[in-house]
Amino acid sequence: MIKFVPEPHLLESPRGRDWPRLPRPAVRDRREGPANSAEVVIVGAGPAGLAVASALWHHGVRDVVIVDRDGRPCGRFFDRIDRLGQRVLRSPYEHHPGVEGYRDCELLDFARLHWARLSATERREVRMAQAGHRSVVPVDVFEAYCDHLATSHHVVENTWPGSVREVLPTDDAVTVRANRFTVTARHAVLCLGEERRPAPEAWWGGGRPPAGVSYWDEPVAPGGESQVVVGAGLTAAHLIAGALEAGRQVHWVVREAGEHYQCADVNSSFFRPEGRARFDGVDRAGRLDLMRRFRRASIMFEFRPLLQQAEADGRLVVHRGEAVKEVDAGVVCRLESGRTIKADTAVLALGTTPSIGSGLLPSAVVGERDGWPDLDERTLRYTRAPRVSVVGAAAGLVFGPAARNIDGHRVATARVAASIAHGLRHGLVPAVAGAR
């Protein structure tokens, strides 16, 4: 049997091209803050928040305030990508922020409209997508598309910079308190995404990492001839590729017995209705087991030849089946096996955890069990606060691993936007049933 292995050149794509942009609307002085009331408040302007705002626009819900710590639609998402030097996504063209059931310009359409700006490799990937095959999406195309979506659906002028402190639901409304303003709305949607997983306290006693050690989403100490990367996912792969390109010797610490490669960030068996249906009819224990087994770190196949060659050349040393025990300034990493790694810098890519509303909503409202919120599966509303919904990774126990993927965002968005629009039109909040 012939096995197809994508080549590393697919990871390369131009960044920072000049794309035609729609005229920007006039935006009020952001120092004033938004109006103190709205029909809907969306917390978070990443790909999920962008999808929700766009869907509500199509439903005729235009009185929307989006609160985002960065204040730019998808700004933090692309800042993180650029910090890693990432140039392509592994979500295919069919996965993108957008609105199901409406004739929007979709991501593949957008790429084809700008054919002349694409490289030969990027054009080939578009043809692959048109033929129904797996394809690689350039970050540059995706960012330009998100900008197009944010402008055409009036998301830009409705997005306000602010760090949300509290989300306080009542029977009649939801009050969202940010650091600079407060907005009271009839509904709120939390699109909080995921946050990095911190290192165990035992590694250095808790708090900020020691000198020379940083997390993946922070500036990495410059220079040095050697670097340790801890983590088994795509973020770790990008960090390793960047360090190798800079000429550093890299030590890669992988807890599992080996690396796991797959095409997408979510196992393909969980895509589309038939994949998500794997969660239907499965009890809570079964769902928790599926999430434990399939929500695992993985790397794009395109990295495999590159990493294998670097290991064969001795530029990359992979410590498989190893776990970190301690990390000291210096940088000295002691592994549980008793081995010690010394390097100039270390970068930690330990995965992420879903933001489920804890710390914003009252804990009784979140109803956290096993790390997941208590949601109504039909509407993705909190069962104890039916005016507050979630879209994104927090809905993992409803949709499975795909909840954190852009494909999962589209499905969740369609459900949430339709439910909110129905409630606003008829002046009601549907009763919710307990989540399984």
Side-chain angles (χ1 to χ4, degrees):
M1 181 180 70
I2 299 175
K3 180 179 288 187
F4 170 68
V5 178
E7 298 180 4
H9 77 272
L10 293 178
L11 296 168
E12 301 167 5
S13 182
R15 190 78 174 98
R17 281 168 282 190
D18 183 25
W19 299 90
R21 297 179 185 273
L22 295 174
R24 289 281 187 174
V27 178
R28 290 187 328 191
D29 187 342
R30 290 309 191 200
R31 290 173 297 182
E32 297 178 6
N36 57 15
S37 64
E39 288 187 321
V40 182
V41 174
I42 300 171
V43 181
L50 176 59
V52 172
S54 300
L56 289 172
W57 186 87
H58 277 285
H59 278 286
V61 181
R62 310 292 168 84
D63 184 13
V64 175
V65 170
I66 303 124
V67 186
D68 183 79
R69 73 181 78 178
D70 183 77
R72 296 177 294 142
C74 297
R76 187 169 180 239
F77 177 82
F78 288 109
D79 285 348
R80 283 177 158 186
I81 280 178
D82 286 336
R83 187 178 297 282
L84 294 171
Q86 184 175 344
R87 294 294 178 261
V88 299
L89 304 178
R90 61 172 168 177
S91 288
Y93 271 101
E94 63 187 286
H95 295 178
H96 59 86
V99 186
E100 294 190 338
Y102 295 90
R103 297 186 64 83
D104 260 351
C105 172
E106 297 194 345
L107 181 58
L108 185 58
D109 302 323
F110 184 86
R112 293 171 62 202
L113 285 169
H114 299 94
W115 188 260
R117 286 176 165 78
L118 305 182
S119 69
T121 298
E122 291 169 341
R123 292 176 183 178
R124 177 182 176 274
E125 292 300 294
V126 167
R127 294 189 185 101
M128 293 282 283
Q130 288 180 286
H133 299 299
R134 176 187 180 266
S135 58
V136 172
V137 178
V139 167
D140 219 45
V141 173
F142 188 73
E143 183 179 34
Y145 174 76
C146 287
D147 180 82
H148 168 83
L149 201 67
T151 304
S152 60
H153 292 78
H154 301 270
V155 177
V156 174
E157 61 261 46
N158 290 326
T159 300
W160 299 85
S163 180
V164 174
R165 308 299 194 204
E166 287 182 307
V167 177
L168 303 174
T170 65
D171 291 342
D172 302 320
V174 184
T175 298
V176 176
R177 300 187 189 279
N179 57 326
R180 299 187 304 110
F181 52 80
T182 297
V183 182
T184 299
R186 294 175 64 184
H187 296 271
V189 186
L190 305 188
C191 303
L192 304 176
E194 302 178 73
E195 295 298 328
R196 72 182 183 209
R197 189 184 301 276
E201 186 173 338
W203 284 14
W204 58 74
R208 292 294 308 154
V213 182
S214 60
Y215 287 101
W216 64 272
D217 56 349
E218 298 175 326
V220 178
E225 298 181 357
S226 59
Q227 186 172 88
V228 176
V229 175
V230 183
L234 183 59
T235 297
H238 280 292
L239 292 168
I240 292 166
L244 291 171
E245 186 176 356
R248 299 191 186 102
Q249 170 80 26
V250 181
H251 289 266
W252 184 15
V253 181
V254 182
R255 179 184 289 271
E256 301 294 330
E259 309 91 306
H260 177 60
Y261 293 92
Q262 65 183 34
C263 291
D265 56 344
V266 176
N267 188 294
S268 60
S269 62
F270 288 99
F271 288 159
R272 303 184 181 89
E274 62 271 22
R276 293 186 295 272
R278 295 183 66 177
F279 266 51
D280 294 341
V282 178
D283 63 15
R284 184 181 183 86
R287 294 184 182 193
L288 289 169
D289 180 62
L290 285 171
M291 291 297 288
R292 178 185 59 80
R293 290 191 288 123
F294 290 100
R295 192 184 182 277
R296 59 182 298 195
S298 64
I299 301 170
M300 290 175 69
F301 275 112
E302 285 80 357
F303 276 99
R304 185 158 64 178
L306 185 154
L307 299 179
Q308 287 178 340
Q309 186 61 55
E311 187 176 11
D313 294 342
R315 295 178 293 131
L316 172 65
V317 179
V318 186
H319 303 268
R320 297 179 177 87
E322 294 275 18
V324 173
K325 182 178 180 181
E326 293 178 334
V327 181
D328 295 335
V331 167
V332 179
C333 291
R334 296 180 180 84
L335 306 181
E336 290 185 352
S337 66
R339 295 180 183 176
T340 298
I341 305 171
K342 296 183 179 181
D344 296 308
T345 60
V347 188
L348 311 180
L350 308 177
T352 58
T353 56
S355 296
I356 63 173
S358 300
L360 298 181
L361 288 162
S363 57
V365 168
V366 176
E368 186 271 333
R369 288 174 56 202
D370 306 306
W372 300 99
D374 186 9
L375 302 177
D376 172 66
E377 297 192 6
R378 296 175 297 116
T379 62
L380 299 184
R381 300 171 186 261
Y382 287 89
T383 60
R384 297 172 178 84
R387 290 188 179 273
V388 185
S389 312
V390 300
V391 172
L397 221 57
V398 177
F399 291 124
R404 68 194 299 253
N405 183 274
I406 297 172
D407 177 57
H409 293 173
R410 286 171 65 88
V411 179
T413 290
R415 194 173 298 186
V416 167
S419 175
I420 289 176
H422 176 81
L424 289 172
R425 280 195 300 268
H426 299 283
L428 52 84
V429 179
V432 296
R436 288 180 289 187

